[in-house]
Amino acid sequence: MRLIVARCEVRYTGRLNAVLPEALRLLVIKGDGSVMVHADHGGYKPSNWMTAPTVIEESEDGLVVRQPKSEDRLEIRIAEVLSDVEHDMGEAAALEKDGVEAHLQELLADQPHWCGEGFRLVRREWPTDIGPVDLMCRDSDDEWIAVEIKRIGTIEAVEQLSRYLERIRRDPAMADCHGVLAAQTIKPQARTLAEARGIECVEVDLDVVRGERVPDLTLFG
């Protein structure tokens, strides 16, 4: 990770245009290509940012950050550098799941059919370069399925699975990999975003998966 404290002007162009006038700011450049511009106000939220994957071009005048698959562009014109340091963060540790999520993952690994009809487990904690996806399965048509498991399915969970799918699909053999978000409860906004991105949502009853309760019967007229 690279941390730059500099007096700079920041121009963002793409879906909209925005300018941050010259001032003292902290630039955070992460190993995955994400770039954040922080001011000494605004809490934890950056004043501007660019998410990975990015292309970063550096010159004597500053940095240009752009996303290869969009018109988004972040131009940082540096007038003065006060500090420029890099830190090796090592291999990032995955966020530990809480007890419910960890238990649910174990149960669904043993019974992947609760995530989708005909699913069979290939591997738990399937590795990607930004972290492991919980379950990698095959369906009845032998298609690849990446399953992310949460206690509560949120927009952040959909974003996380979307990032995993983007990395997984870089392998030509897995270019058609589908995504499933499995959770005890899925927020309506998360379901809407998942649907827009072609990700299936599955709500899982922990008591049913554990065999402590029979599934509710659905009656068809």
Side-chain angles (χ1 to χ4, degrees):
M1 180 181 293
R2 185 179 178 188
L3 305 174
I4 304 173
V5 179
R7 188 170 299 280
C8 59
E9 175 190 271
V10 181
R11 291 181 177 270
Y12 172 82
T13 57
R15 289 163 291 179
L16 52 84
N17 295 331
V19 178
L20 298 175
E22 184 177 308
L24 195 61
R25 295 187 173 87
L26 169 65
L27 310 178
V28 180
I29 305 172
K30 299 178 69 175
D32 65 357
S34 300
V35 177
M36 292 167 285
V37 180
H38 284 277
D40 200 18
H41 57 77
Y44 66 91
K45 296 182 66 176
S47 304
N48 217 321
W49 67 92
M50 191 79 77
T51 56
T54 61
V55 175
I56 301 175
E57 301 168 351
E58 187 169 359
S59 68
E60 293 181 357
D61 297 327
L63 304 171
V64 174
V65 185
R66 53 186 177 83
Q67 291 185 321
K69 295 184 180 180
S70 76
E71 297 180 356
D72 292 349
R73 178 184 174 96
L74 199 62
E75 185 175 348
I76 305 171
R77 298 178 180 173
I78 296 178
E80 180 185 8
V81 175
L82 279 70
S83 175
D84 185 349
V85 296
E86 291 192 48
H87 298 278
D88 184 359
M89 306 297 287
E91 185 175 352
L95 290 175
E96 292 187 4
K97 291 182 174 292
D98 64 28
V100 173
E101 287 183 12
H103 184 45
L104 189 57
Q105 180 180 333
E106 291 177 4
L107 289 169
L108 292 178
D110 291 335
Q111 307 174 70
H113 64 274
W114 291 113
C115 300
E117 186 175 354
F119 282 16
R120 64 184 188 277
L121 180 68
V122 176
R123 177 175 173 173
R124 288 181 61 182
E125 302 291 339
W126 182 277
T128 77
D129 58 354
I130 59 172
V133 67
D134 290 331
L135 307 179
M136 184 60 74
C137 300
R138 295 265 204 173
D139 65 10
S140 55
D141 295 323
D142 214 33
E143 298 288 338
W144 290 100
I145 310 290
V147 181
E148 186 63 23
I149 299 168
K150 299 293 183 185
R151 184 170 60 87
I152 299 175
T154 62
I155 286 178
E156 289 76 12
V158 178
E159 294 284 6
Q160 180 183 5
L161 181 52
S162 297
R163 292 193 293 271
Y164 288 153
L165 287 169
E166 191 274 330
R167 291 302 200 273
I168 292 168
R169 289 168 178 166
R170 290 182 178 184
D171 182 347
M174 305 181 74
D176 295 326
C177 183
H178 303 290
V180 171
L181 174 62
Q184 288 182 283
T185 303
I186 297 178
K187 297 288 188 180
Q189 302 93 330
R191 191 179 293 275
T192 299
L193 180 60
E195 182 179 338
R197 295 188 177 180
I199 293 173
E200 185 176 350
C201 292
V202 176
E203 289 193 341
V204 180
D205 188 319
L206 186 56
D207 290 338
V208 172
V209 177
R210 283 192 295 218
E212 298 175 356
R213 189 172 69 80
V214 298
D216 295 331
L217 296 177
T218 302
L219 299 180
F220 297 91

